């Protein structure tokens, strides 16, 4: 790629300037290199200019992060080889995606509960050991597992599970059966989708989260909807069922899945909150909805 078309960004503000330049040059495709946070920052910055341009560029992902949820979903592998293949005209295809919007931010997945708690504990441990000989042990998938086993599970085992109310504010929602089918009567606008204890309330527009974990095996099966997953598993049950969760095969009486396009989640206690794999503090109320416009991603055919 010509050096004229390569930008090494040095800060979030610099990245915004670079993306403005790309829009002025009317690039049809932009490849962003980094982890999911970098990719989502690119997408959200571009979204801010949607009304100012005729069309936003497609977004490709160079796999340069840790969890790499978006890169895995798009089939990205070696960054240099992927970009060379794209430049050579090898077949790539569009992956239009209606993302999830929460608090004004677009993301492929997000939610409240144990997954966000593990993220918080992971970053705490990673920062604590960042300048030590154990640095590598507390990074990546091993760091997440250590955080879950040593901090999250012990902490939440002694806590009472929050009581949750989820209200459908979109089109009729449906409970998902074991094979992705819609089951039961539709939950109409304004009706309660779920009420009771919950430890995990996660939503996904794509099947995978970081490290290829298929937390949302039914995401993408219904146009214009995302998968909402509600679980009332205790910490030990969640840990025990982690292998099946990672494969996307977990079925459990305390696990409830729905096809929705807009929901309001209300908790009687504050819960850890994450968007796109980035911790966002604590919330006792969150609204998740399908984004109005599609983002066009580019991936391997």
């Amino acid at each position: 790629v010509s050096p004229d078309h390569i930008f090494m960004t040095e800060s979030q503000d610099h990245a915004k300037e670079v993306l403005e330049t790309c829009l002025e040059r009317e690039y049809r495709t932009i490849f962003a290199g980094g982890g999911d946070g970098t990719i989502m920052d690119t997408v959200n910055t571009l979204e801010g200019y949607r009304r100012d341009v005729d069309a936003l560029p497609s977004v490709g992902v160079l796999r340069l992060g840790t969890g790499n949820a978006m890169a895995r979903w798009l089939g990205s592998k070696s960054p240099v080889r992927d970009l060379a293949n794209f430049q050579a005209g090898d077949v790539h295809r569009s992956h239009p995606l209606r993302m999830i919007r929460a608090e004004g931010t677009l993301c492929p997945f997000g939610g409240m509960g144990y997954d966000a708690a593990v993220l918080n504990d992971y970053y705490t441990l990673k920062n604590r050991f960042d300048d030590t000989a154990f640095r590598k042990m507390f990074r990546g998938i091993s760091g997440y597992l250590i955080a879950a086993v040593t901090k999250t599970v012990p902490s939440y085992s002694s806590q009472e599970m929050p009581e949750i109310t989820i209200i459908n504010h979109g089109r009729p929602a449906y409970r998902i059966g074991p094979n992705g089918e819609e089951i039961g009567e539709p939950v109409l606008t304004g009706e309660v989708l779920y009420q009771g204890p919950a430890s995990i309330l996660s939503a996904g527009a794509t099947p995978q989260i970081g490290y290829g974990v298929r937390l949302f095996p039914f995401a993408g099966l219904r146009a214009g909807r995302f998968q909402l997953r509600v679980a009332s598993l205790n910490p030990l049950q969640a840990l025990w069922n982690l292998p099946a969760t990672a494969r996307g095969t977990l079925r459990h009486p305390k696990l409830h899945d729905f096809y929705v396009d807009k929901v309001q989640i209300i908790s009687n206690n504050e819960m850890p909150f994450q968007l796109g794999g980035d911790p966002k503090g604590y919330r006792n109320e969150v609204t998740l909805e399908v984004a109005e416009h599609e983002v066009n991603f580019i991936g391997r055919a």
Side-chain angles (χ1 to χ4, degrees):
V1 180
S2 166
D4 292 339
H5 306 300
I6 299 176
F7 303 91
M8 303 297 290
T9 56
E10 300 173 358
S11 67
Q12 195 168 26
D13 288 339
H14 186 209
K16 184 176 180 181
E17 293 175 9
V18 164
L19 289 170
E20 288 175 351
T21 299
C22 293
L23 292 173
E24 290 169 2
R25 295 184 182 182
E26 298 183 347
Y27 288 156
R28 291 191 299 173
T29 303
I30 293 172
F31 277 84
D36 293 314
T38 302
I39 308 309
M40 289 306 98
D41 186 64
T42 300
V43 166
N44 279 283
T45 300
L46 289 173
E47 184 68 19
Y49 293 97
R50 181 175 291 276
R51 296 183 180 182
D52 302 325
V53 296
D54 293 333
L56 291 177
S58 299
V59 177
V61 176
L62 301 180
R63 185 171 173 169
L64 293 169
T66 48
N68 294 308
M70 294 303 293
R72 292 172 187 270
W73 178 62
L74 294 168
S76 303
K77 295 181 180 178
S78 162
V80 173
R81 189 178 302 118
D82 285 349
L83 195 56
N85 290 342
F86 181 79
Q87 285 290 88
D90 284 6
V91 177
H92 281 60
R93 66 185 179 92
S94 296
H95 294 262
L97 179 65
R98 294 273 297 279
M99 305 188 79
I100 297 169
R101 184 184 295 277
E103 300 184 347
T105 298
L106 298 180
C107 60
F109 55 87
M112 306 160 71
Y114 291 160
D115 54 340
V118 171
L119 273 174
N120 288 337
D121 292 336
Y122 166 69
Y123 279 105
T124 299
L125 284 176
K126 186 179 74 167
N127 292 336
R128 182 182 302 171
F129 290 94
D130 216 21
D131 296 323
T132 73
F134 302 102
R135 178 175 179 270
K136 288 186 178 180
M137 183 187 303
F138 291 93
R139 284 180 169 268
I141 188 66
S142 62
Y144 280 103
L145 290 174
I146 292 171
V149 172
T150 64
K151 289 182 68 67
T152 313
V153 170
S155 174
Y156 281 84
S157 293
S158 60
Q159 295 184 25
E160 189 173 340
M161 206 171 291
E163 288 291 322
I164 304 297
T165 300
I166 304 176
I167 303 171
N168 179 33
H169 286 295
R171 293 176 295 165
Y174 290 89
R175 182 179 291 273
I176 303 176
N179 298 309
E181 72 277 19
E182 297 171 352
I183 60 174
E185 295 297 317
V187 180
L188 304 180
T189 305
E191 293 183 346
V192 172
L193 195 70
Y194 175 88
Q195 192 164 40
S199 54
I200 300 172
L201 303 105
S202 293
T206 58
Q208 298 177 338
I209 59 173
Y211 303 100
V213 174
R214 290 181 60 84
L215 186 60
F216 308 107
F218 310 119
L221 296 185
R222 295 294 184 274
R225 298 174 186 271
F226 56 87
Q227 178 184 345
L228 178 69
R229 171 157 283 191
V230 183
S232 55
L233 302 169
N234 65 43
L236 287 176
Q237 288 173 325
L239 191 62
W240 177 260
N241 286 286
L242 187 58
T245 301
R247 294 190 300 267
T249 59
L250 178 62
R251 307 292 184 267
H252 195 283
K254 294 184 177 181
L255 185 69
H256 314 279
D257 292 310
F258 304 91
Y259 290 124
V260 300
D261 62 7
K262 184 176 182 179
V263 293
Q264 179 186 20
I265 301 171
I266 304 169
S267 170
N268 68 333
N269 290 320
E270 285 195 330
M271 300 177 69
F273 178 52
Q274 61 90 7
L275 290 178
D278 284 338
K280 298 293 182 181
Y282 291 78
R283 304 286 190 277
N284 55 17
E285 185 175 331
V286 169
T287 296
L288 306 172
E289 61 183 322
V290 170
E292 181 181 358
H293 302 285
E294 289 181 339
V295 175
N296 192 49
F297 289 96
I298 295 291
R300 297 299 302 272

